[in-house]
Amino acid sequence: MCKKCCRQFTLKSIKKLNNPKCPACGKGMYLHHKYKYHVSFKCNNRQCNHTIKQLIPSVIDDSSSEKLFAKDTFSGHRFSINTIINAINLYYSLNVTTIAISTYLLDYMNIKVYHVTISKWIKKFDKYYLWICIDSETRFITSWKLIMSRIIIIISN
């Protein structure tokens, strides 16, 4: 019971936090600092005093390849180029419906996109060829190129 407000706390009224456990000692961790690009957690055990940093992926800027090619092709879009490319990639590579793509973006990336918007993206970029370079270990898209022709000229230095 709280001495100031005389409120009784139960297990249901306490909000459960999703803080990680300490990898060194296994005890709980608390939020130490919240920065722009990452969050820092610190161990509750004072003898351990271990810290962990976790990235916040939603605030990380888009890749530099977006800044190179986005001026003419992707101008006027509300969503990032990575979101559009992921939606087009899911549509053509996995034959997924636009409704399934919109629910995927909402559930896993917390981006609300209507299925009609995704179908407009697919119709707009139907005449383009999308070349994607994926890292084999992490399965992340490292670079991409959107061009009108199917022929790519590779210039090596």
Side-chain angles (χ1 to χ4, degrees):
M1 182 174 283
C2 181
K3 291 182 180 179
K4 287 185 179 179
C5 64
C6 296
R7 183 175 173 195
Q8 184 177 357
F9 294 99
T10 61
L11 292 176
K12 292 181 183 177
S13 67
I14 297 173
K15 202 189 245 187
K16 182 167 175 152
L17 300 173
N18 292 329
N19 292 350
K21 297 221 179 227
C22 180
C25 68
K27 299 217 176 185
M29 300 186 87
Y30 66 92
L31 180 66
H32 185 62
H33 284 292
K34 187 172 183 180
Y35 298 102
K36 183 177 180 183
Y37 296 110
H38 70 277
V39 177
S40 176
F41 290 100
K42 198 168 189 178
C43 184
N44 287 331
N45 189 0
R46 291 187 185 211
Q47 285 83 24
C48 178
N49 211 17
H50 190 73
T51 58
I52 293 177
K53 292 180 180 167
Q54 289 182 348
L55 292 175
I56 304 172
S58 60
V59 287
I60 295 175
D61 295 333
D62 292 323
S63 61
S64 60
S65 60
E66 177 178 334
K67 294 174 184 162
L68 294 175
F69 305 113
K71 292 181 180 173
D72 53 355
T73 311
F74 289 101
S75 62
H77 287 282
R78 180 179 299 170
F79 298 97
S80 70
I81 295 172
N82 293 331
T83 306
I84 296 171
I85 287 176
N86 283 332
I88 294 171
N89 188 21
L90 285 171
Y91 182 79
Y92 284 115
S93 65
L94 299 177
N95 290 332
V96 182
T97 63
T98 56
I99 296 173
I101 294 170
S102 68
T103 55
Y104 170 79
L105 290 174
L106 182 63
D107 292 342
Y108 294 103
M109 297 182 171
N110 201 17
I111 301 170
K112 187 174 183 179
V113 182
Y114 290 107
H115 65 94
V116 178
T117 307
I118 296 171
S119 67
K120 286 180 182 178
W121 292 341
I122 292 166
K123 287 177 187 173
K124 180 178 180 180
F125 298 113
D126 190 31
K127 58 187 172 193
Y128 292 97
Y129 288 94
L130 177 64
W131 297 90
I132 300 173
C133 182
I134 300 175
D135 186 16
S136 62
E137 294 176 1
T138 60
R139 304 294 295 164
F140 287 123
I141 297 175
T142 57
S143 64
W144 54 269
K145 180 89 172 158
L146 190 71
I147 56 175
M148 294 281 283
S149 66
R150 195 167 178 197
I151 301 171
I152 291 183
I153 301 170
I154 299 173
I155 302 171
S156 60
N157 293 337

